[in-house]
Amino acid sequence: MSGAATSDHGFNPRLIAGVVAIGVIAFIALWALIALGPQLSSGNNGGGHALAKGAPGYAGIVDLLERAGAEVELRRTVESQSYEEYHPLLILTPTHRSRPEEISELIDAQSGGKVLIILPKWEVMTVPGQAAKPGWVGAGIPVTPSARLLPEALFGKVTVAAAPGKAAVVPADLANRVFSVTLPANVQTVKGEQLDVLIAGPDGGAVLARSREHDRYILADPDLINNLAFASRDKARGAAMLIDAIGEDADANALAFDVTLNGLGGGRSLLRFAFVPPFIGITLCLIAAGLLALWQAWARFGPALKPARAIPVSKAALIANSADLIKQARRELDGADAFVKSQRGAIARRLHAPSGLDDGGTDAWIDKHLPAGSDLFSALARRLPLARNTHEFLADAQALHDIRKDLLRDSQ
């Protein structure tokens, strides 16, 4: 058999406490990540939004604007953020699969504010046989988006088309600024009766258009400002001047890039509210209360009790069982003579009493060895068998035991 020590209660308390603590922390972390996952995500997934660093994304223009000192916000909610001295230009970057009602909700939340919609152009895919790098796109196919991305109630009836041709540099005159932008080959354009053309395309459509009734702008081709435009210095300069001119034309003092249309928003939910101010305080209090309840349960009950043996092992256990049996039978007083005899014999044997003495003579011989003024052994020996109750019996028996202990100098 192994000589290793075994636990008294089957499990190591520290191990179980560690497992419970890890489980609680993992459970809380799981729900926190579920609630806040979209907000904690870097967003560098190769999509066409402000957090993506791939070709269709807009991380380049965002970084350039921030370095230039512009106030740039990445908006993950549908709530309006327009204040008395804060009038941002909301930039929407829908995908081919975005729903018109989602776009309408974002625009309506601006309460008539300034909005720029950048239509999607590229459908990206992974090249078979090639390992995709994080944030990169394998290949892109230009796909003309549906006109449904521009709600008819807000922009009227519009059409979106691709104009075949070669890349060309065209002049732009916007907000009293004259600059050049590079139109890509197969440029996308938009047409509509309620739209004003700000930058014309080769087919008579508008690469950049504005609603006649509101400060709502449409950039039909994203290649003018996306990361693909940063392949050259001239394109990057044109992208920065284009965004700056649109913001000045709209009289906006900040830029807000929306990422909710790209699945990176933090929607309203009770689970999310539990981990953001002001309700994070209540959540922490509940967690602390749960931990205190676990600690109290652990301290109150402790490890499982080990069942005792039905019949204990040892001489002491045998004596205790015999005494308990005598007590249950109510025969304690019947053992007085035997107790006196055992004490007398032990003292006489240890002190070498003269042989031939009867019980009375032995008691008298023991009395001679006792200090003056103490209880006599002979008196206690006569009185103990006459005890009327257990209290008297125990008192005299204890006195006899004390005499033996004093004379023999032991604890028996």
Side-chain angles (χ1 to χ4, degrees):
M1 294 180 66
S2 173
T6 57
S7 174
D8 292 339
H9 34 74
F11 296 97
N12 189 328
R14 295 181 179 179
L15 177 61
I16 297 302
V19 171
V20 172
I22 293 175
V24 171
I25 294 173
F27 179 79
I28 296 173
L30 173 64
W31 286 105
L33 288 175
I34 292 175
L36 304 176
Q39 289 186 301
L40 298 177
S41 172
S42 66
N44 188 23
N45 55 10
H49 52 82
L51 294 173
K53 298 180 181 179
Y58 304 96
I61 190 67
V62 171
D63 182 67
L64 181 62
L65 292 171
E66 290 178 341
R67 291 173 182 270
E71 186 173 354
V72 181
E73 172 192 356
L74 296 179
R75 188 170 294 184
R76 295 176 180 266
T77 62
V78 185
E79 301 175 3
S80 174
Q81 300 292 332
S82 180
Y83 306 105
E84 183 177 356
E85 297 181 356
Y86 179 69
H87 304 285
L89 173 66
L90 177 62
I91 301 176
L92 305 180
T93 56
T95 67
H96 289 84
R97 288 165 292 280
S98 296
R99 295 180 299 173
E101 52 268 24
E102 295 176 338
I103 299 174
S104 298
E105 181 183 7
L106 287 167
I107 296 177
D108 292 341
Q110 285 296 104
S111 302
K114 315 163 198 315
V115 178
L116 168 63
I117 299 179
I118 304 176
L119 295 178
K121 179 178 181 180
W122 298 99
E123 285 282 9
V124 298
M125 63 184 66
T126 302
V127 178
Q130 293 184 2
K133 296 182 180 180
W136 288 40
V137 294
I141 300 175
V143 178
T144 304
S146 171
R148 294 187 307 107
L149 297 180
L150 301 172
E152 186 173 349
L154 301 176
F155 297 96
K157 189 173 182 179
V158 298
T159 58
V160 182
K166 297 181 179 180
V169 178
V170 298
D173 185 357
L174 183 61
N176 298 322
R177 294 188 181 185
V178 178
F179 54 95
S180 298
V181 294
T182 303
L183 301 184
N186 196 33
V187 63
Q188 283 185 172
T189 59
V190 61
K191 294 180 180 180
E193 296 180 356
Q194 300 181 20
L195 300 178
D196 292 330
V197 178
L198 301 181
I199 299 179
D203 62 345
V207 177
L208 177 65
R210 178 179 57 200
S211 174
R212 293 177 181 173
E213 299 180 358
H214 302 279
D215 290 331
R216 297 168 183 163
Y217 300 81
I218 303 172
L219 181 60
D221 198 307
D223 288 348
L224 271 69
I225 64 170
N226 60 17
N227 296 334
L228 193 62
F230 282 72
S232 68
R233 184 183 298 271
D234 293 337
K235 291 182 179 180
R237 183 185 299 110
M241 296 190 68
L242 177 61
I243 286 292
D244 187 55
I246 295 174
E248 186 173 345
D249 185 73
D251 196 21
N253 54 13
L255 299 172
F257 286 84
D258 172 79
V259 293
T260 62
L261 292 175
N262 307 96
L264 298 172
R268 293 183 177 181
S269 68
L270 293 178
L271 184 59
R272 177 178 175 272
F273 284 156
F275 294 95
V276 296
F279 300 105
I280 182 64
I282 300 176
T283 303
L284 293 177
C285 290
L286 292 176
I287 294 173
L291 294 177
L292 287 175
L294 287 176
W295 176 81
Q296 183 183 26
W298 182 271
R300 166 63 180 85
F301 296 102
L305 294 177
K306 183 179 180 180
R309 289 177 58 92
I311 301 178
V313 179
S314 71
K315 293 181 180 180
L318 180 60
I319 295 173
N321 289 337
S322 300
D324 188 58
L325 182 61
I326 294 172
K327 181 179 179 181
Q328 291 184 13
R330 299 180 182 276
R331 303 299 296 271
E332 298 95 334
L333 303 181
D334 295 345
D337 291 332
F339 182 74
V340 171
K341 185 177 181 179
S342 66
Q343 298 297 318
R344 179 188 297 121
I347 295 173
R349 187 169 51 255
R350 291 283 298 276
L351 295 182
H352 305 288
S355 59
L357 296 177
D358 57 6
D359 293 343
T362 303
D363 293 347
W365 183 84
I366 294 174
D367 290 343
K368 295 178 181 179
H369 292 78
L370 296 176
S374 62
D375 293 335
L376 298 177
F377 184 90
S378 57
L380 293 173
R382 290 191 301 269
R383 192 169 61 197
L384 185 62
L386 302 177
R388 294 170 295 181
N389 51 54
T390 56
H391 296 290
E392 293 181 2
F393 178 83
L394 289 175
D396 293 341
Q398 183 65 47
L400 284 177
H401 180 73
D402 292 340
I403 290 174
R404 171 181 171 170
K405 184 172 64 173
D406 292 339
L407 292 177
L408 304 183
R409 305 296 183 183
D410 62 13
S411 58
Q412 298 298 323

